[in-house]
Amino acid sequence: MPHNSAVESIRNIGFIAHIDAGKTTVTERVLFLAGRIYKVGGVDEGTTVMDWMAQERERGITITSAATTADWNGYTINIIDTPGHVDFTAEVERSLRILDGGVVVFDAVAGVQSQSETVWRQADRYGVPRICFVNKMDRIGADLSRTIDSITRRLGANPVAIQIPVGQEHSFRGVVDLVEEKALLYPEDGGLEAPTEGPVPEEVIGEFRAYRDLMIEKVAETDDDLMAKYLDEEPISKEEIKRALRKATLEYRLVPVLCGSALRTLAIHPLLDAIGEYLPSPADVPLVEAKDFKTGETVTREPREDAPFAGLVFKVVTDPFIGRLAYFRVYSGRIETGTAVFSPNSGKRERLGRLVRMHAERREEVDHVSAGAIVAAVGLKVASTGDTICDERAPVLLETINFPEPVISVAIEPKTRADQDRLMEALARLSEEDPTLKVKYDDEVGQTILSGMGELHLEIMVDRMKREFRAVGTVGTPKVAYREAIKGTAKAEGRFVRQTGGHGQYGHVWIEVEPLESGAGFEFEDKIRGGAIPKEFIPSVRKGVKEAMGAGPLSGYPVVDVKVTLVDGTYHDVDSSDMAFQVAGSMAAKAALRKAKPILLEPIMKIEIVTPGEFLGDVLGDLGRRRANIRNIEGQADIQVVRAMIPLAESFGYAGTLRSLTQGRAAHSIEFDRYHEVPASIAAA
Ligand code: GDP
């Protein structure tokens, strides 16, 4: 169904899933069918197109977020590669930010798994309309209706099947399209060719009727006109169903559910059709908001060619052949190669060199791009992840992309002293690609410290360092990034006065501290009345307080979730200075924190383990020794799924332990959940 205008034919989408649900395989089949790949690879053989970095192939997981373009039936589908592993939170967040719609892939046997739940909630937060693809319908135990139930139950969504499977498990051979009322069937050896259309097979006619009625009822519930027809038992046309279903999907009132088998390329054609049919174009989503760079006012930018150009850089990678590639999404206007763009984030003007659109197996150079497009720019040197690039004559700042603070760190040393510079340079490059990776050189111990979102995250980064830059020598054991917080309130004074001869120093403040809720960070309020401290020194006090928050009273870890109120103070006409008030602020904060019942916080990880039932006892016993808090245990056939919370410190090396406990037959996933107080007995040790 080709569309009239360019922007309406664009679909910026991501496939999101729990690891192993088949996201990589689905993506690859989609790219293949859209005519862009000459040979079907398979994750198992390690030749998948999207996984173009060596260690991704080895681990069989996707960690980059490149965008790949596929053409289908007049639609331009830009696939933003979202990672399956939630250790890469930053990648998920950033991709959700720039895509308009999502295809959530489920394993038809496992149903909703913990990571799909996490990503689903993130997608909710960004208001991303989505459709579901229940994959692996060829597996023993595959069950569409149970998966739909778990989508309703665990995700609180309103799913509606728009297909039902024909054949089960090994004999699965296609689907019935409930809207078109026809079957799409594939030959036994797989579905690379278009399916054969036919009438609904006798064997599923009962199921077809039930599911179709349910679909019409659900669609009618979202549309008054259709509801009236439905109640009067008047016929409702395909076009009416499609229109209402599209609208309900875009408004996130319904989530259409499809099914198939990516491995055998069964029912991927209708999935591609559904992406065009039901997911939004850039013109269907709410207008992007931006800050006018000159007035500071909130403005919107329309996805039109004739609007001023504005785009957001969402990923920077260093390509071995073409150098620095900045992926960006065009939100409005049109831009040509060779034009200068302005970035309000850096205040710099830069020239766009070449513009490259990435297909699965080739790069296509384009001379211009317009609203809705996703491309990579060669030649931008400054603009980094989260930066806006725009028309200098109408400068705006789009909301940047926020990344969480790292929870784990590891010390790495160069192979030889001469490698130190190379190491730092390589790390700088990696942390540019991945903003949740932080690098710091610790002068005191002469070590380079790498911080990230989880053990696996750091492992992969160290791997890359070894492989690509060959500069890494020894790697330390991972360390937990603890934090400090307070449980009580306190008031304290900071006095910094030096008045012995010459120009003195005078800063004097009273502050109060109080705990904030978890995740709130740092707040500062100025309650000085009547000029007890001149306005110009308030930012100095804040700066001093902020600095004191960098090292808590217990063990010197950063202090979080604290509100500091400046309540009183005094000053001196001559001797008061920015520096004196900074020192006073810092002294006061340190004193107040000590008095406010300081506590140590540790990262708590959410873990999910899928194990054969026979090992359940051993797995639980081991979790018990690791201070884990079991949330629930669910059984399906002989497979048990354990969900628990576990302190990061106790999770180190878990992959190895699990392997030996279960003869390698269990799988697990782990991700950061939140910070929580370390029990007193442990903190003391
Ligand atoms: P990802 O981690 O979500 O990207 O999942 P992958 O695409 O890497 O697939 C995980 C595993 O499931 C691989 O061994 C695939 O071959 C397998 N797989 C993917 N799709 C299907 C399917 O439709 N049926 C079956 N039986 N296996 C599948």
Side-chain angles (χ1 to χ4, degrees):
M1 224 146 301
H3 286 70
N4 39 18
S5 95
V7 71
E8 278 167 8
S9 67
I10 297 176
R11 296 290 178 273
N12 292 323
I13 62 151
F15 288 96
I16 44 193
H18 186 92
I19 192 163
D20 264 0
K23 191 192 66 183
T24 311
T25 314
V26 174
T27 309
E28 196 192 64
R29 297 311 195 260
V30 159
L31 290 171
F32 176 82
L33 292 185
R36 296 301 183 185
I37 303 178
Y38 303 116
K39 173 179 157 284
V40 180
V43 180
D44 302 321
E45 299 94 70
T47 52
T48 306
V49 179
M50 291 293 270
D51 287 357
W52 45 279
M53 291 193 316
Q55 77 277 28
E56 281 181 77
R57 279 201 291 271
E58 275 178 21
R59 290 168 198 265
I61 56 178
T62 311
I63 58 172
T64 52
S65 184
T68 315
T69 303
D71 297 309
W72 182 257
N73 262 356
Y75 293 108
T76 301
I77 303 176
N78 292 315
I79 300 168
I80 294 101
D81 190 20
T82 60
H85 204 282
V86 194
D87 257 17
F88 307 100
T89 319
E91 303 279 1
V92 180
E93 293 265 334
R94 97 163 98 214
S95 40
L96 287 176
R97 175 63 195 289
I98 51 127
L99 50 76
D100 298 320
V103 177
V104 187
V105 180
F106 295 96
D107 178 329
V109 181
V112 175
Q113 291 165 285
S114 73
Q115 288 171 359
S116 26
E117 199 174 338
T118 307
V119 183
W120 190 276
R121 307 253 174 270
Q122 283 168 322
D124 282 349
R125 199 144 43 79
Y126 287 88
V128 177
R130 63 212 88 149
I131 60 178
C132 294
F133 182 73
V134 178
N135 187 34
K136 306 201 186 183
M137 289 302 294
D138 60 313
R139 276 186 65 189
I140 293 178
D143 191 333
L144 179 66
S145 80
R146 199 183 56 219
T147 305
I148 292 179
D149 278 351
S150 72
I151 295 172
T152 312
R153 227 173 357 95
R154 284 190 62 186
L155 304 176
N158 190 11
V160 56
I162 60 168
Q163 295 178 339
I164 53 166
V166 178
Q168 271 188 344
E169 301 171 351
H170 301 303
S171 67
F172 174 65
R173 59 183 191 283
V175 295
V176 172
D177 181 326
L178 299 178
V179 181
E180 298 283 348
E181 300 180 73
K182 67 185 182 198
L184 304 171
L185 299 178
Y186 292 88
E188 210 160 275
D189 57 351
L192 293 177
E193 302 302 325
T196 313
E197 294 184 9
V200 178
E202 207 48 52
E203 57 177 291
V204 294
I205 207 96
E207 222 183 332
F208 162 74
R209 290 212 179 98
Y211 272 97
R212 182 172 152 92
D213 285 350
L214 183 63
M215 176 187 76
I216 291 181
E217 188 185 323
K218 284 203 170 201
V219 173
E221 276 167 8
T222 69
D223 184 298
D224 290 345
D225 290 347
L226 287 193
M227 192 43 129
K229 282 193 167 185
Y230 176 76
L231 293 176
D232 292 345
E233 295 184 24
E234 277 179 48
I236 299 176
S237 73
K238 286 173 204 168
E239 286 63 38
E240 284 174 310
I241 297 174
K242 282 188 189 170
R243 198 165 4 91
L245 190 52
R246 173 170 181 81
K247 185 158 172 286
T249 307
L250 298 192
E251 290 167 355
Y252 187 45
R253 297 170 68 190
L254 281 180
V255 180
V257 180
L258 297 90
C259 63
S261 161
L263 191 64
R264 294 174 53 203
T265 326
L266 297 181
I268 302 296
H269 297 86
L271 171 62
L272 272 157
D273 291 341
I275 290 170
E277 192 81 61
Y278 301 115
L279 288 178
S281 83
D284 293 318
V285 296
L287 293 182
V288 68
E289 285 193 353
K291 262 207 166 59
D292 184 304
F293 190 55
K294 286 181 183 141
T295 65
E297 273 169 39
T298 303
V299 293
T300 51
R301 280 285 182 263
E302 288 187 44
R304 292 200 330 254
E305 275 216 310
D306 54 357
F309 167 71
L312 184 76
V313 175
F314 65 93
K315 172 99 186 178
V316 175
V317 296
T318 307
D319 183 283
F321 302 106
I322 33 185
R324 193 174 190 270
L325 270 180
Y327 283 86
F328 67 99
R329 168 168 175 161
V330 184
Y331 281 96
S332 66
R334 170 191 157 105
I335 191 87
E336 280 158 29
T337 51
T339 337
V341 294
F342 174 72
S343 172
N345 305 79
S346 59
K348 293 236 159 57
R349 222 170 152 252
E350 296 190 82
R351 198 160 292 281
L352 274 186
R354 290 143 61 204
L355 288 173
V356 199
R357 182 173 289 143
M358 301 295 184
H359 294 275
E361 82 309 344
R362 70 191 168 99
R363 302 191 175 98
E364 175 194 8
E365 293 227 4
V366 291
D367 55 12
H368 76 276
V369 284
S370 322
I374 289 180
V375 283
V378 187
L380 291 180
K381 294 198 174 59
V382 184
S384 60
T385 303
D387 286 0
T388 302
I389 49 178
C390 61
D391 186 336
E392 197 166 17
R393 290 162 300 183
V396 287
L397 196 58
L398 296 163
E399 194 192 325
T400 187
I401 307 175
N402 289 320
F403 297 108
E405 289 295 313
V407 296
I408 180 172
S409 65
V410 72
I412 54 182
E413 279 170 23
K415 229 186 225 158
T416 67
R417 286 188 73 117
D419 284 331
Q420 178 65 37
D421 287 350
R422 240 156 45 84
L423 183 70
M424 284 309 279
E425 197 184 302
L427 285 172
R429 211 186 280 173
L430 283 184
S431 64
E432 183 177 55
E433 285 183 19
D434 177 356
T436 52
L437 191 70
K438 298 260 161 74
V439 189
K440 189 173 81 186
Y441 185 75
D442 186 337
D443 265 336
E444 271 172 44
V445 285
Q447 270 176 335
T448 304
I449 309 289
L450 192 62
S451 312
M453 294 311 297
E455 203 180 4
L456 176 68
H457 185 208
L458 288 186
E459 248 173 60
I460 288 187
M461 291 306 157
V462 168
D463 256 25
R464 276 192 70 182
M465 297 290 306
K466 288 188 173 160
R467 210 187 302 261
E468 289 173 30
F469 306 102
R470 298 202 182 78
V472 179
T474 52
V475 179
T477 46
K479 289 208 167 56
V480 177
Y482 291 99
R483 304 260 194 276
E484 295 185 26
I486 53 173
K487 272 186 138 166
T489 58
K491 185 170 174 176
E493 180 184 27
R495 241 177 88 85
F496 182 62
V497 181
R498 300 275 179 282
Q499 289 176 311
T500 46
H503 199 317
Q505 293 285 2
Y506 191 102
H508 177 212
V509 302
W510 275 97
I511 62 159
E512 286 171 4
V513 296
E514 63 190 285
L516 291 177
E517 65 182 80
S518 175
F522 170 69
E523 249 178 63
F524 181 84
E525 193 187 357
D526 166 27
K527 272 202 185 158
I528 294 289
R529 297 288 170 263
I533 301 176
K535 275 265 170 287
E536 63 193 282
F537 295 128
I538 306 294
S540 315
V541 178
R542 183 183 196 282
K543 203 167 162 207
V545 168
K546 190 93 207 280
E547 184 227 288
M549 295 289 155
L554 293 178
S555 313
Y557 291 107
V559 183
V560 295
D561 308 332
V562 172
K563 175 171 173 177
V564 175
T565 311
L566 175 59
V567 289
D568 204 359
T570 59
Y571 73 102
H572 185 276
D573 275 336
V574 180
D575 290 345
S576 279
S577 65
D578 168 47
M579 213 276 281
F581 271 104
Q582 273 192 47
V583 177
S586 166
M587 288 165 68
K590 282 183 180 149
L593 289 175
R594 264 195 304 275
K595 292 199 288 188
K597 303 203 183 75
I599 51 168
L600 197 62
L601 302 180
E602 65 180 340
I604 303 292
M605 312 295 279
K606 193 156 91 181
I607 190 169
E608 181 178 290
I609 299 136
V610 182
T611 177
E614 55 185 297
F615 304 115
L616 183 64
D618 292 337
V619 168
L620 292 178
D622 174 68
L623 283 176
R625 286 187 290 279
R626 294 171 182 266
R627 286 199 282 135
N629 182 348
I630 310 288
R631 287 299 162 89
N632 76 23
I633 304 170
E634 235 174 45
Q636 296 167 346
D638 185 41
I639 293 290
Q640 297 288 326
V641 180
V642 180
R643 297 190 185 85
M645 295 292 180
I646 182 173
L648 173 64
E650 305 287 346
S651 74
F652 289 161
Y654 188 72
T657 307
L658 187 65
R659 211 175 302 125
S660 58
L661 282 179
T662 64
Q663 300 161 13
R665 289 172 54 205
H668 83 294
S669 65
I670 184 163
E671 64 168 306
F672 171 67
D673 187 62
R674 69 203 145 90
Y675 272 93
H676 193 260
E677 184 178 356
V678 180
S681 57
I682 306 269

